[in-house]
Amino acid sequence: MPKFPECWQSCGSCAQGDVFILEVLVQPGDRVERDDNILTLETGKVALDIPSPWAGIVQEVWITAGDHVQEGAPLISLQED
C-alpha cells in the first residue's frame, strides 16, 4: 500500500472513517502496465484509484474487497518482464 498523502496528517478531511478496499481491479494472470489502476480504495470521504508502480503479470492478489489496509501493506505480487 502506498504512503498515505501528507495532507491526511494536517487536515484529516480525506482520511475520516475507515480505509478499506472498495474494489480489486486485477486478478492473477492479468498483465498490468506501470500506472494502471489495480484497486479502488475507500477512505470514508473519497474513493481513490491506486496504480501499479511497475509493469508485469499479476502473480498473486493479497487483498479482497472490504479489507482494511494499512500503509505499507502488500497488495499484489508481480512478475516483472
Side-chain angles (χ1 to χ4, degrees):
M1 183 69 204
K3 183 177 180 185
F4 294 146
E6 272 184 40
C7 67
W8 287 24
Q9 299 300 321
S10 58
C11 99
S13 181
C14 296
Q16 292 178 355
D18 289 334
V19 176
F20 64 92
I21 304 296
L22 182 64
E23 183 179 14
V24 179
L25 304 173
V26 296
Q27 58 186 356
D30 287 352
R31 171 151 183 73
V32 295
E33 298 298 327
R34 185 174 190 262
D35 293 330
D36 282 354
N37 292 329
I38 58 173
L39 65 92
T40 303
L41 184 68
E42 174 66 44
T43 69
K45 284 279 192 171
V46 295
L48 301 169
D49 289 326
I50 304 299
S52 175
W54 299 283
I57 305 295
V58 177
Q59 297 297 301
E60 193 163 354
V61 178
W62 297 95
I63 41 86
T64 60
D67 284 354
H68 294 263
V69 293
Q70 297 295 320
E71 191 176 296
L75 302 173
I76 64 173
S77 297
L78 284 178
Q79 178 181 345
E80 292 185 78
D81 51 9

